[in-house]
Amino acid sequence: MARFSFRGFVYVLIVMLGLLSAAPNILPQSIKQQLPTWYTTSTLSLGLDLQGGSHLLLAADTNALFEKQLNSFSSDLLSELRSQNVRYTKTSHSLTHKDSRSGSVVFTLRSADDARKVKDTAYQISAQPNGSSALDVEIKQSTVTLRLNELYTEQLVKDTLSRSVEVVRKRLNETGLTEPSVTLQGKDAILVQMPGMSDPTQVKKLLGTTAQMTFHWAANSQSEQVMNKQDAAGNTYRLEQKVALEGEHITDAAGVLSSENGQPVVTFRLDSAGAKQFATMTRDNIGRVLAIVLDNKVVTAPVINSVIPGGRGEITGNFTLPEAGNTALMLRTGALPVPLTIIEERTVGPDLGSDAIQTGVESGVAGALLVLAFMVAIYGRWGAIASFALCINMALVFGALTLFGATLTLPGIAGLILTMGMAVDANILINERIREESKKGRPAASAIEVGFDKAFATIVDSNFTTLIAVSLLFMFGSGPIKGFAITIALGLVSSVFTAVALTKMLMLRVVKSKHKNTQDRAQQRVPLRFSSPLLRLSDKLSGINFLAKRKIALAVSVVLTVLSIGLFAKPGLHYGVDFTGGTMIELTAPNLSTDELRNVIESNGFDQIAIQEYGSEHHYLLRAPVLDSSGELENSNAKQTDALKRAISQADSEVSFDKIDMVGPKVSGGFAELSILALLIAGGGMLVYLWARFEAHFASAALLTVILDLTKTIGFFALTGIEFNLTAVAALLALIGYSINDKVVVLDRIRELLRLDPNKPLADTINEAVNSTLSRTVFTSVTTLLALLPMAIFGGDAVESFAVPMVFAVVIGTSSTLFITSTLLYLLGSRREKQGKAQLKPTAEEIKASLSHIP
């Protein structure tokens, strides 16, 4: 009794912590004012798709980074070799864009005896703190080839991106943006999210400018490596490639009007080391031209007439005052160590975000109420206990998300709704097991204990296989899809706790309180009663021979799969910009008809843009293909989009741009590859797990059925023309998890019956297993449909690619569980019988028992 009470105390403590973590999200402001700030501010953040804002994905130009470092090392090396009287011929330099690290500097030694000196000097110049060298030196027949070491380049990119994140964050903070988010994404990208910003044009200019300022002397006869740079007027300057002074020494800068001519200039101040170096270099080079180069453009090139002490200077050029202010801001916050290019841009208007919140909440509440009501309708008070546990489960998920500082997105809301539909499966499975034990005459408490014990292994197996698919969403997804994956994962883990631990404790409490004052032992041994019209109806469905029409069922499934493959080939999937790249704009133009909008677009030279009426009147969807195959958006689609927005705004001053998605080919190509890889790994991971938990033919039957479900769902996308995008991939992976979950329950029951009576005909065993789990299969599918239907009907276009296919997938997955998995297992099992093999491998206990009979 004491142990049970302690366990109950722990359960209550977990629930209370979860509820306290979730509470700040719903507390009224009047109560929040009376609580500590650290507690009330711990709330879920809303994603850009719910509150509006802009999202930019910036890729680092590692080619420029590697070239700069290679030039620096090679210049220092050649200079040191000259001081050691090592003779060499003219150098050559190459950099391949497919593999930046393969860029090289090549020179030829006049004496092969100097090879050792070259290697030793290269190591001294490029030695790293860990003892390795940044340079790989290859010498063949006196020809020296210098390349950057692979380990060094990996660390270089990592350090450079970390510094770039800080620079980007400083620049955004200086602009006064509210809570911008700047994080690393992948190995070479930076994600910038700006809530509330519907037009990021100015920010794009700020982030797309490196603001890398360097000082270079004009080249003379003694200059080794030279380069040509132009100014804004097109004048060319012949400069030393070697940097005389880095812009990183700048500690302050300001855009001001010159006191001499009243023109905008940028003043700057150097740190102490930079000021000392600047004074020395100007003293030693009086009469020479010193060019200031900003992002590969010469902005000024004065002649040094005297020593410049104090570390102060002025940059003149054809600045406007705002340009001078922006340039000063960038110099003040530091130069980006590497150029950043925009490879993806997404913008959601605030109105669309508020609509998404409303539809998401409404469809979520409607789905939840339908599920809870259905559970009570099936199991009465036991269903009420399960519904209470489901509510606690959702609260725990919200609490965990809040505790982890997660961001709630529209796919995240979809994940919560799907989680509730799938979490009810564990409760149905438990109630059905308890109902079976009660039918056998077990007393109430015993039926609950045995029912939970028998259901536990099945719950773990089914949830674990779903987690495999969900983990891939987290590994390969980005942004909102990661949120979707985390939501479902937390929901599944939480549902195991609430269904297995909390529900069991509550049911036993109810049973014990009911018989607390009952002295009649016979009354205490009365089984639990489950009586409802739905249960009586489900009991009448037993005894169905699911294998009787197995050939027809399998033939229909294969034909539908072949037709789906045909639809995939033609007309094919309606790919979104996530896969194709390009630009998609949702806009509302209340004063423009479709023809008028088309005339505006075509008259401004935008011939490749497709126009589609979308949803309500005067709501349009514009699509433009990728214009620049380099993977950058800044010089192609981004400029086109800005020009298009200006043209439409001039034609209709009341136009609102609800959503803008721009995806470069680098992102779309990589996303397509990762999506295919995720689906393959999901299948492989599940196959391995099922092979470990079941026999090979069990795993094969389940996986083959899931593949058939998957192909039909893809065919559904092709047939209906629903956009196949980021959310659609989430739907496919969710389908894999849901479908395999459904099939594991049946397979687990077949295995259980085979162990009870291995000599029973396989067909009878399979039919008995499918019939005994039929109520669970149907009820789980209905609850999942009830959770999804409000979203599919009222959720709007934002979740259409997820909710509608998932409704189809639940129907297909349920029918395949009943007819296809059973048929495939029967065919594979019959083949196994003909080969003289048992359906199940002997357990450790069975092996031990058989060995004990050996004398």
Side-chain angles (χ1 to χ4, degrees), residues 174 213 246-254 267-275 310-312 328-329 331-334:
E174 290 245 357
M213 193 172 86
E246 293 278 3
E248 62 187 24
H249 291 290
I250 295 175
T251 57
D252 193 19
T267 61
F268 64 87
R269 187 178 73 226
L270 302 172
D271 60 19
S272 57
R312 293 181 178 272
L329 182 153
L331 294 177
R332 190 165 61 246
T333 55

Side-chain angles (χ1 to χ4, degrees), residues 103-430:
S104 61
V105 171
V106 182
F107 60 93
T108 304
L109 297 171
R110 296 187 180 179
S111 173
D113 296 336
D114 291 326
R116 186 73 260 168
K117 284 185 180 179
V118 172
K119 288 196 171 185
D120 291 344
T121 305
Y123 177 79
Q124 293 171 5
I125 288 174
S126 65
Q128 300 301 298
N130 62 2
S132 64
S133 172
L135 285 175
D136 284 339
V137 181
E138 182 183 348
I139 303 177
K140 291 182 179 180
Q141 298 179 347
S142 300
T143 299
V144 181
T145 303
L146 304 176
R147 290 189 179 89
L148 293 178
N149 178 271
E150 185 174 358
L151 291 176
Y152 171 75
T153 56
E154 290 176 0
Q155 188 60 43
L156 180 64
V157 170
K158 184 178 178 181
D159 293 343
T160 301
L161 280 174
S162 297
R163 285 189 289 137
S164 297
V165 166
E166 290 305 313
V167 172
V168 169
R169 186 176 287 119
K170 286 180 182 177
R171 288 187 185 180
L172 293 177
N173 287 337
E174 290 245 357
T175 63
L177 279 176
T178 306
E179 297 182 358
S181 170
V182 185
T183 55
L184 285 174
Q185 181 162 306
K187 294 182 179 180
D188 62 349
I190 297 173
L191 178 64
V192 178
Q193 293 183 306
M194 298 162 287
M197 174 168 282
S198 56
D199 186 3
T201 304
Q202 194 63 29
V203 171
K204 285 192 292 182
K205 292 180 181 177
L206 203 62
L207 301 182
T209 305
T210 310
Q212 206 147 39
M213 193 172 86
T214 52
F215 297 78
H216 297 262
W217 292 111
N220 55 29
S221 58
Q222 297 180 347
S223 301
E224 276 289 334
Q225 293 175 311
V226 298
M227 62 182 182
N228 292 323
K229 296 290 181 183
Q230 291 186 330
D231 60 13
N235 301 314
T236 301
Y237 295 82
R238 193 166 177 269
L239 308 175
E240 288 186 352
Q241 194 171 58
K242 184 178 180 181
V243 176
L245 182 68
E246 293 278 3
E248 62 187 24
H249 291 290
I250 295 175
T251 57
D252 193 19
V256 298
L257 295 175
S258 172
S259 58
E260 296 180 1
N261 55 24
Q263 295 300 310
V265 296
V266 177
T267 61
F268 64 87
R269 187 178 73 226
L270 302 172
D271 60 19
S272 57
K276 184 177 180 181
Q277 184 179 346
F278 195 56
T280 301
M281 56 186 277
T282 54
R283 182 193 65 209
D284 297 342
N285 292 276
I286 292 176
R288 289 188 72 182
V289 172
L290 180 64
I292 300 178
V293 179
L294 182 64
D295 286 342
N296 290 319
K297 287 285 184 182
V298 176
V299 290
T300 185
V303 177
I304 302 301
N305 295 316
S306 60
V307 179
I308 303 178
R312 293 181 178 272
E314 186 178 274
I315 305 173
T316 59
N318 295 321
F319 295 117
T320 63
L321 195 57
E323 288 173 343
N326 273 345
T327 302
L329 182 153
M330 290 183 284
L331 294 177
R332 190 165 61 246
T333 55
L336 285 166
V338 64
L340 299 176
T341 54
I342 300 171
I343 59 174
E344 180 181 323
E345 176 184 342
R346 299 180 189 269
T347 301
V348 177
D351 293 338
L352 189 64
S354 61
D355 290 343
I357 294 176
Q358 183 177 354
T359 56
V361 170
E362 288 176 354
S363 60
V365 170
L369 290 176
L370 288 173
V371 169
L372 298 178
F374 187 68
M375 285 296 292
V376 175
I378 302 173
Y379 299 112
R381 61 176 173 177
W382 310 115
I385 291 175
S387 296
F388 175 75
L390 285 171
C391 293
I392 295 297
N393 177 40
M394 300 307 291
L396 291 178
V397 173
F398 269 106
L401 290 172
T402 303
L403 206 59
F404 295 151
T407 299
L408 184 64
T409 62
L410 200 56
I413 293 176
L416 286 170
I417 297 169
L418 181 62
T419 294
M420 186 162 197
M422 294 176 68
V424 80
D425 175 56
N427 289 281
I428 290 176
L429 190 60
I430 289 168

